Amino acid sequence: MRTTIGYTLESIGYVIGAQGLISFVSMTFFGAEWGWMHKVVGLSSTACLGVVVVALALVVGGVRTRKAPGLRGAA
């Protein structure tokens, strides 16, 4: 179960992080809104960087959860 939760958190972090990065780059350098995040929430380019940081935290948390030692011997 721990492995499943870790992979799930990590996967969600990758998707949200990619969308945050795409939104930041598109608003900052091209003046347009790419991706789907702007259709869900209206954020500034600075807030998109905050989304990327939160996504990185999800990825790190997922990897740590997945690699955490399990409870051996407890059945």
Side-chain angles (χ1 to χ4, degrees):
M1 184 71 169
R2 184 183 301 257
T3 303
T4 304
I5 292 171
Y7 278 123
T8 303
L9 285 176
E10 189 177 354
S11 299
I12 291 170
Y14 284 130
V15 171
I16 298 298
Q19 288 299 315
L21 190 61
I22 287 170
S23 293
F24 172 75
V25 169
S26 68
M27 285 191 284
T28 303
F29 297 110
F30 299 103
E33 293 180 339
W34 299 342
W36 53 263
M37 193 164 29
H38 71 277
K39 295 181 181 182
V40 179
V41 291
L43 298 175
S44 66
S45 60
T46 308
C48 289
L49 283 180
V51 170
V52 172
V53 170
V54 169
L56 286 174
L58 282 174
V59 170
V60 169
V63 169
R64 285 189 180 171
T65 300
R66 202 167 23 98
K67 293 186 176 182
L71 298 174
R72 296 180 188 248

